Amino acid sequence: MRLLAVVFAAFACFFASSSVVADDPYRYFTWTVTYGPISPLGSQQQGILINGQFPGPRLDCVTNDNIIVNVINKLDVPFLLTWNGIKQRKNSWQDGVLGTNCPIPPNSNYTYKFQTKDQIGTFTYFPSVGMQRAAGGYGALNVYQRPQIPVPYAKPDGDFTMLVGDWYKASHKALQQTLDSGSSLSFPDGLIINGAQSTFFNGDQGKTYHFRISNVGLTTSINFRIQGHMLKLVEVEGTHTLQNTYDSLDIHVGQSMSVLVTLDQAPKDYFIVFSTRFTQKVLTATGILHYSNSNSPVSGPIPAGPTYQVHWSVKQARTFRWNLTASAARPNPQGSYHYGTIPRARSIILANSAPLMNGKQRYAVDGVSFVMPDTPLKLADNFNIANVFAWDSLPIPPSGGTAVLGTPVVRFNLHDFIEIVFQNTENAIQTWHLDGYDFWVVGYGFGKWTENIRKRYNLVDAVSRHTVQVYPNGWSAILVSLDNQGMWNLRSSMWARQYLGQQFYIRVWTPEKSYSNEYDLPPNALLCGKAIGHHP
């Protein structure tokens, strides 16, 4: 009996420490990552393919599904995937960034195990090592509702995904060399839609279709519109919104949203248009929306969209509101939806900058330009390895002094409810992303943020999302409930800025050891740097 009890305890410990939940469905995938020829802008170049596809396979799943993805790296360099917007509840071990995971070596593999816990919406995945994102390797990750959780709109007659972003003809290795040499990236060569300069969607007159749009580019905000049709916004990065209608929508780098479009016009073909925002030169990519009973090709001028109008974009962003009557998954800090009444444990101000350091272009947060060590910060914390990062070395508020290199980790307590103000000190739009979390975007504005501005926050129905834009010489404010223990990356979504230092990590922690807070290091964890020789 004693042996049986020991065996039972061992199995109980294994399942408790597992990063997946046995009661929910499993979905298994095997993805092989290779180089291959692609021609997104008409001329052939080397791209990163997943199972021979560019973009990579669309990963469709249902709320609370357990996702098992075996990634086989056939590139000549290490590789990692990150799951953009997936919260990784209690499981930052699967986040897929260099601060939490060792990269997958060439001719090796790693199996990700995570759960789409309490999420419904439009997300993406992409490579997180170096500038590999500029060569492809990205794809859509759509989380659908379980049958017992209704969404606040009738079931659409079809579901379309559009991965849109700026693109360079240069290889990801050449772009990385440019950044390593101390130069900035040039202006992109074009825009692409689902890996090409154009795309085609077919629908029936009178029916309504769900369009999921993600900005997977490196640097540039985009505007989306469909000739002669209105866009009904229904979801932003996992949050169901008030269903306002728009003739065009801005989507900033790293962001996703979904709209309903009813084919209520005369039967013909119509332009689908994407164009860059806040750029002197405007890049455009077009697709076709084809009515199935159409005998008329697309005609007329390509619909014009906004170009540099910043205030137009701010006003639109302020109309994105949370649908408080929706019963679908949504954040629920401290047992209440009333995020505006929760006391703040801490407020931090983060200012971006673009300093030259030793004659080379770098990017910084509060005067610290992040240097990625060869040992993931999460592993260093787990194994108590010294001299990998520095606790709380980010000067908050910003000191305004000369920029320095560093590897800061800012500590927070589990269940802290905090305010973060992103202060943009540059005359260019920024976007910021926080792994492992959604946050409420409670305000946008221009000039320098002051405490008096809190009186203007939306504390009732602000949209909850994982990426926020900060307008030129402006500020954006978010509130976030730190209810997900782990080591999490807070970074610029503009990938060259992230690569050259505009990021840092937060560590959300409690001394209470519990699998209800965080899972253990997985037994298949890859080890690198100073973590080699330690045992999971």
Side-chain angles (χ1 to χ4, degrees), residues 28-51:
Y28 295 88
F29 305 88
T30 298
W31 288 357
T32 301
V33 183
T34 61
Y35 291 123
I38 60 175
S39 302
L41 294 179
S43 57
Q44 185 171 298
Q45 60 187 109
Q46 186 186 68
I48 294 178
L49 313 180
I50 298 180
N51 290 354

Side-chain angles (χ1 to χ4, degrees), residues 243-296:
Q243 296 178 13
N244 298 323
T245 56
Y246 303 86
D247 54 12
S248 73
L249 285 163
D250 280 353
I251 309 171
H252 307 281
V253 177
Q255 294 185 344
S256 298
M257 61 179 60
S258 64
V259 301
L260 297 179
V261 179
T262 300
L263 275 58
D264 54 4
Q265 301 299 305
K268 61 183 293 291
D269 292 356
Y270 295 88
F271 283 114
I272 299 172
V273 187
F274 292 93
S275 58
T276 56
R277 293 283 272 121
F278 319 119
T279 58
Q280 289 185 340
K281 178 182 178 182
V282 177
L283 301 176
T284 301
T286 60
I288 299 297
L289 176 60
H290 171 75
Y291 280 46
S292 60
N293 58 341
S294 166
N295 292 314
S296 302

Side-chain angles (χ1 to χ4, degrees), residues 3 7 12 32 155 177 350 443 477 496 522:
L3 176 61
V7 172
T32 301
K155 183 178 180 179
Q177 289 172 355
L350 303 176

